[in-house]
Amino acid sequence: MSTSLMEPRAQCGDGRILLHVCASVPDNKYNKQEVALLFVNLKETKEQTQQWAHVWYWKGVLSPQIGRHSAQCLCCTGQAGLSAFLLARAQESVLGRCMPYRSVWIICSPNQIEMVRNQLRKEGFLNSFYQFSA
């Protein structure tokens, strides 16, 4: 019997990928081979990036103004780069173009956690692939 069956499972019951937004890398109670890390505008250490299923980096502008208007608004269109990045990663996974993962930990600075969470929750299509953790 595999010992991985005894570790906490990091996936929703409906098949969506569990999405965490936090300021630090998760501890070792998770199966690292099922977790992807996404560093948002941060530098990481080599120790933080070892043995995870994926380690991604996104650099861009996070603003409370982005996504305040309708999806067709000219000032908002194309500015949700973080959600587009996550959608592209989910598509790669669904199509079998990368190693599968069950959860994504978005690591950002503490003062950006709420902004990132709020911005991504407004993205309707993103919620088809990802479920926010409680």
Side-chain angles (χ1 to χ4, degrees):
M1 179 175 195
S2 171
T3 58
S4 66
L5 295 174
M6 297 177 193
E7 295 178 18
R9 302 296 285 180
Q11 184 172 6
C12 301
D14 62 5
R16 290 183 289 171
I17 299 165
L18 197 56
L19 194 62
H20 306 267
V21 182
C22 55
S24 62
V25 175
D27 58 26
N28 288 328
K29 72 178 181 182
Y30 293 94
N31 182 350
K32 288 185 171 188
Q33 295 304 310
E34 295 181 350
V35 176
L37 301 181
L38 172 56
F39 290 92
V40 174
N41 296 329
L42 288 179
K43 297 202 181 229
E44 73 296 329
T45 66
K46 186 174 182 173
E47 293 79 31
Q48 289 176 311
T49 61
Q50 291 180 340
Q51 301 176 350
W52 299 97
H54 300 280
V55 178
W56 302 314
Y57 307 92
W58 184 85
K59 295 193 185 303
V61 177
L62 293 170
S63 167
Q65 300 300 323
I66 293 174
R68 291 183 84 186
H69 306 115
S70 71
Q72 297 79 22
C73 175
L74 292 177
C75 73
C76 296
T77 302
Q79 293 190 27
L82 182 56
S83 62
F85 181 88
L86 285 167
L87 284 171
R89 302 299 74 79
Q91 185 178 26
E92 288 173 353
S93 179
V94 168
L95 295 174
R97 294 182 181 159
C98 68
M99 187 162 66
Y101 55 95
R102 296 177 177 268
S103 68
V104 175
W105 290 72
I106 299 175
I107 316 299
C108 58
S109 64
N111 63 337
Q112 292 182 329
I113 291 173
E114 275 307 307
M115 191 182 329
V116 169
R117 191 176 286 136
N118 291 337
Q119 181 178 335
L120 294 177
R121 283 191 178 170
K122 292 178 184 177
E123 300 289 335
F125 193 58
L126 188 71
N127 293 314
S128 299
F129 292 96
Y130 295 97
Q131 169 68 42
F132 280 92
S133 65

